[in-house]
């Protein structure tokens, strides 16, 4: 059992000891160690577990439970924006003297300011509105300190010593592995970084090292600069779909798959623009000690998910490379794209990658696309590269699913041209109030393509989707909701279309959106893990 699982087990034991009999859980990967322990406790009747999709709803459900039971109730979320959605319930609990225990999962402390995905400073998030708070790190393993901190805040929640009960906050930093029954990952050594002052001339990089350009989330202008750098230096460009750099002859459609081939092993230097968040192979590359990482950032603070940067600069320059390195990547990408298309064409059902590819291929430079987090943005990461891709917007700062519909409405109102959005069903349901626009308010021409697999397909592609966890998976990760999207959309005055094939979707996309439209693309997540494994195992000669 890893440190995260040991810590989670002790946390649940302490909750039970403090009289907690009701716990509300929202699905998430970083909070998985707690989810597994709560699932087991619920199975044997030690507590009652309630699973909800929306953290704001979960917070108020826990508040109601605590009010009626007159005893502490815990609510568990994953990291990032999910934690902030508890704030309204925490405020109400504070002013009502309700013993609400907010338990927020977090990344390890070392990742907090390095730009790790869904990582922000959660410690002290509710500081002025809780009776007590604590930070618990699962490494090094210190059960005595865990018990002390939990006892302190749970005592504060019920007001045993103060006479003033109220909400408390327990922020739990869990390190991988996040599933039971596997060993902990080794600790990585520290590296020295050299930040250059802002405003200085571009740093000229020496030629020689085999270099890959990685572009994460970027503004349109910054994305154009990343693409221009790769093309000027004649380097392969691994650009996420939200980078606004994923176009032209140097961008790779299957870059994350090629990192698993021999080409990936040959990389000696990475020049990173923006905030990459999508692919684990990219994260592993950015953390490799044998790779020189150069971070290009216009901000005083910089992103370094692998905590491996050797140089940070606001701009870089590199003489054109003429050694055939980029051509090898381009040839491998073309071959891998053929293999990928063969897999997708062979599917007897509509899949997330097909929905994403059809949408991406239907849009051009005059179009705008807003992308939701979770599976859809990763599916876009394998879509074909075009010379003139759309302008892309996404909430990738914390990669949460919150407010995506409202974000798309806002973007559409500003660009004042037909806008598309791609998101999963849980992301869509998380912000259905974004569809409500008053009769006197302006409405954008916005088509929302909802890849509806009736639950959380993203978790099937992670370790939680392994068959060994099948007993718990559907309840605490799959979370099927069975919502009728047509009734939901039409109730708000939005248009509605349902598609079940790629051809149907392309037919809808052939016409521009008019007003707010919802297109429900019905996909099947039962084989999502199998498909992901098949795609991940594709190989080509390099």
């Amino acid at each position: 059992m890893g440190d995260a699982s040991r810590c989670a087990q002790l946390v649940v034991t302490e909750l039970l000891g403090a009289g907690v009999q009701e716990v509300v859980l929202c699905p998430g990967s970083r909070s998985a160690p707690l989810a597994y322990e709560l699932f087991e406790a619920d199975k044997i009747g030690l507590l009652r577990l309630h699973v909800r999709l929306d953290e704001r709803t979960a917070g108020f459900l826990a508040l109601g439970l605590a009010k009626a039971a007159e005893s502490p109730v815990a609510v568990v979320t994953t990291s990032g924006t999910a934690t902030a959605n508890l704030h309204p319930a925490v405020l109400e609990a504070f002013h009502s003297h309700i013993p609400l225990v907010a338990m927020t999962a977090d990344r390890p402390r070392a990742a907090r300011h390095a730009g790790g995905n869904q990582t922000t400073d959660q410690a002290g998030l509710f500081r002025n509105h809780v009776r007590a708070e604590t930070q618990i790190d699962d490494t090094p393993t210190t059960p005595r300190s865990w018990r002390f901190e939990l006892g302190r805040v749970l005592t504060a929640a019920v007001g045993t010593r103060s006479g003033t009960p109220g909400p408390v906050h327990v922020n739990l930093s869990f390190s991988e592995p996040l599933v039971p029954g596997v060993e902990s990952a080794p600790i990585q050594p520290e590296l020295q970084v050299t930040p250059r002052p802002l405003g200085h001339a571009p740093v000229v990089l020496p030629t020689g090292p085999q270099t890959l350009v990685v572009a994460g989330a970027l503004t349109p202008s910054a994305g154009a600069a990343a693409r221009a750098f790769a093309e000027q230096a004649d380097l392969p460009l691994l650009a996420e779909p939200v980078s606004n750099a994923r176009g032209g002859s140097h961008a790779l459609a299957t870059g994350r798959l090629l990192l698993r081939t021999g080409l990936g092993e040959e990389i000696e230097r990475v020049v990173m623009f923006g905030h990459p968040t999508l692919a684990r192979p990219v994260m592993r590359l950015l953390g490799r000690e044998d790779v020189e990482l150069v971070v290009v950032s216009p901000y005083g603070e910089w992103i370094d998910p692998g905590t491996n940067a050797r140089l940070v600069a606001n701009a870089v320059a590199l003489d054109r490379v003429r050694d055939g390195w980029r051509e090898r990547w381009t040839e491998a990408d073309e071959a891998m794209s053929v293999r990928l298309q063969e897999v997708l064409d062979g599917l007897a059902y509509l899949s997330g990658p097909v929905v994403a590819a059809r949408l991406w291929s239907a849009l051009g430079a005059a179009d705008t696309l807003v992308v939701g987090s979770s599976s859809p943005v990763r599916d876009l990461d394998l879509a074909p590269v075009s010379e003139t891709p759309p302008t892309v917007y996404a909430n990738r700062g914390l990669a949460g699913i919150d407010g995506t519909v409202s974000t798309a409405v806002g973007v559409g109102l500003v660009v004042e041209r037909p806008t598309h959005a791609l998101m999963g069903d849980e992301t869509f349901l998380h912000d259905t109030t974004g569809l409500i626009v008053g009769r006197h308010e302006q409405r954008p021409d916005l088509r929302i393509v909802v890849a509806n697999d009736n639950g959380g397909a993203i978790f099937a592609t992670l370790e939680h989707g392994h068959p060994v966890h099948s007993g718990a998976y559907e309840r605490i990760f799959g979370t099927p909701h069975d919502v009728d999207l047509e009734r939901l959309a039409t109730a708000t005055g939005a248009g509605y279309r349902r598609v079940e094939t790629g051809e149907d979707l392309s037919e809808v996309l052939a016409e521009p959106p008019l007003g707010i439209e919802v297109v429900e693309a019905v996909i099947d997540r039962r084989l999502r893990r199998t498909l992901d494994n098949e795609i991940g195992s594709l190989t080509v000669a390099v």
Side-chain angles (χ1 to χ4, degrees), residues 405-415 444:
V405 173
S406 299
T407 298
V409 170
V411 168
L413 288 172
V414 170
V415 300

Side-chain angles (χ1 to χ4, degrees), residues 88-106:
V90 169
L91 286 171
E92 176 61 25
F94 180 81
H95 291 283
S96 301
H97 302 98
I98 303 299
L100 178 69
V101 183
M103 310 200 77
T104 57
D106 202 352

Side-chain angles (χ1 to χ4, degrees), residues 464-516:
H464 317 296
H466 192 280
V468 72
H469 306 300
S470 59
Y473 177 82
E474 193 67 5
R475 175 84 191 282
I476 60 177
F477 293 108
T479 57
H481 50 77
D482 301 320
V483 174
D484 187 330
L485 298 195
E486 180 177 8
R487 291 185 178 183
L488 187 62
T490 55
T492 65
Y496 173 83
R497 294 282 296 273
R498 176 186 171 101
V499 298
E500 297 185 8
T501 68
E503 291 73 19
D504 290 344
L505 177 59
S506 293
E507 183 179 338
V508 171
L509 296 173
E511 298 293 330
L514 182 62
I516 299 178

Side-chain angles (χ1 to χ4, degrees), residues 86-267:
L86 295 181
H87 214 149
V90 169
L91 286 171
E92 176 61 25
F94 180 81
H95 291 283
S96 301
H97 302 98
I98 303 299
L100 178 69
V101 183
M103 310 200 77
T104 57
D106 202 352
R107 263 58 175 174
R109 190 185 299 263
R112 189 164 300 161
H113 298 291
N117 192 26
Q118 290 189 336
T119 304
T120 187
D121 194 350
Q122 295 174 193
L125 185 64
F126 313 120
R127 180 161 294 154
N128 294 328
H129 301 104
V130 289
R131 304 300 180 207
E133 59 184 349
T134 188
Q135 168 70 44
I136 293 179
D137 300 287
D138 66 352
T139 53
T141 306
T142 53
R144 290 177 63 181
S145 67
W146 299 340
R147 287 192 177 93
F148 172 79
E149 291 297 329
L150 288 165
R152 180 176 66 84
V153 297
L154 292 172
T155 298
V158 296
T160 302
R161 298 282 293 177
S162 66
T164 310
V168 295
H169 180 204
V170 181
N171 195 55
L172 294 142
S173 292
F174 287 136
S175 54
E176 297 178 4
L178 303 175
V179 295
V182 290
E183 296 300 321
S184 302
I187 297 174
Q188 298 296 320
E190 295 182 2
L191 294 169
Q192 190 69 34
V193 59
T194 305
R196 295 295 181 93
L198 288 174
H200 283 218
V203 176
V204 179
L205 302 178
T207 57
Q210 305 277 45
T211 302
L212 176 72
V213 181
V214 171
L218 291 163
T219 63
S221 59
R227 174 177 169 178
F229 171 78
E231 292 177 351
Q232 182 276 324
D234 198 22
L235 294 172
L237 170 61
L238 197 162
E240 294 183 354
V242 295
S243 68
N244 287 293
R246 198 174 192 271
S249 59
H250 291 57
L252 305 168
T254 62
R256 79 181 195 220
L257 302 181
L258 295 177
L259 288 180
R260 297 188 173 105
T261 69
L263 278 175
E265 297 174 2
E266 294 182 38
I267 298 170

Side-chain angles (χ1 to χ4, degrees), residues 100-462:
L100 178 69
V101 183
M103 310 200 77
T104 57
D106 202 352
R107 263 58 175 174
R109 190 185 299 263
R112 189 164 300 161
H113 298 291
N117 192 26
Q118 290 189 336
T119 304
T120 187
D121 194 350
Q122 295 174 193
L125 185 64
F126 313 120
R127 180 161 294 154
N128 294 328
H129 301 104
V130 289
R131 304 300 180 207
E133 59 184 349
T134 188
Q135 168 70 44
I136 293 179
D137 300 287
D138 66 352
T139 53
T141 306
T142 53
R144 290 177 63 181
S145 67
W146 299 340
R147 287 192 177 93
F148 172 79
E149 291 297 329
L150 288 165
R152 180 176 66 84
V153 297
L154 292 172
T155 298
V158 296
T160 302
R161 298 282 293 177
S162 66
T164 310
V168 295
H169 180 204
V170 181
N171 195 55
L172 294 142
S173 292
F174 287 136
S175 54
E176 297 178 4
L178 303 175
V179 295
V182 290
E183 296 300 321
S184 302
I187 297 174
Q188 298 296 320
E190 295 182 2
L191 294 169
Q192 190 69 34
V193 59
T194 305
R196 295 295 181 93
L198 288 174
H200 283 218
V203 176
V204 179
L205 302 178
T207 57
Q210 305 277 45
T211 302
L212 176 72
V213 181
V214 171
L218 291 163
T219 63
S221 59
R227 174 177 169 178
F229 171 78
E231 292 177 351
Q232 182 276 324
D234 198 22
L235 294 172
L237 170 61
L238 197 162
E240 294 183 354
V242 295
S243 68
N244 287 293
R246 198 174 192 271
S249 59
H250 291 57
L252 305 168
T254 62
R256 79 181 195 220
L257 302 181
L258 295 177
L259 288 180
R260 297 188 173 105
T261 69
L263 278 175
E265 297 174 2
E266 294 182 38
I267 298 170
E268 298 171 329
R269 179 171 61 193
V270 171
V271 179
M272 187 187 83
F273 293 78
H275 188 181
T277 59
L278 299 185
R280 290 188 176 185
V282 175
M283 296 300 105
R284 286 193 289 268
L285 171 66
L286 298 178
R288 271 173 46 184
E289 293 182 52
D290 63 329
V291 170
E292 176 191 353
L293 177 59
V294 176
V295 174
V296 182
S297 174
Y299 305 115
E301 295 182 347
W302 60 90
I303 299 298
D304 183 9
T307 60
N308 190 42
R310 313 292 177 86
L311 172 69
V312 178
N314 64 304
V316 292
L318 179 65
D319 289 338
R320 188 172 181 83
V321 179
R322 302 181 183 277
D323 59 359
W325 170 247
R326 196 269 303 169
E327 288 79 4
R328 292 176 61 201
W329 280 85
T330 299
E331 291 171 4
D333 186 49
E334 292 172 352
M336 186 69 81
S337 295
V338 171
R339 297 290 309 280
L340 174 62
Q341 196 59 49
E342 290 173 350
V343 170
L344 297 180
D345 288 344
L347 298 177
Y349 57 91
L350 184 61
S351 67
V354 170
V355 170
R358 291 272 182 166
L359 176 58
W360 186 265
S361 299
L363 304 180
D367 295 302
T368 301
L369 175 63
V370 178
V371 186
S373 294
S374 199
S375 295
V377 69
R378 289 168 173 81
D379 292 337
L380 271 181
D381 199 35
L382 294 175
V385 170
S386 64
E387 178 62 33
T388 55
T391 301
V392 182
Y393 297 92
N395 295 332
R396 298 304 298 174
L398 288 178
I401 67 173
D402 314 76
T404 306
V405 173
S406 299
T407 298
V409 170
V411 168
L413 288 172
V414 170
V415 300
E416 296 185 330
R417 61 173 182 262
T419 301
H420 287 76
L422 174 65
M423 64 190 72
D425 49 302
E426 292 194 358
T427 298
F428 176 73
L429 293 174
H430 212 281
D431 191 30
T432 51
T433 51
L435 295 175
I436 301 173
V437 181
R439 69 175 64 178
H440 302 298
E441 304 305 313
Q442 210 175 352
R443 286 175 176 260
D445 292 322
L446 169 66
R447 175 178 289 137
I448 303 171
V449 179
V450 182
N452 185 10
D453 55 18
N454 195 32
I458 184 66
F459 301 112
T461 67
L462 303 176

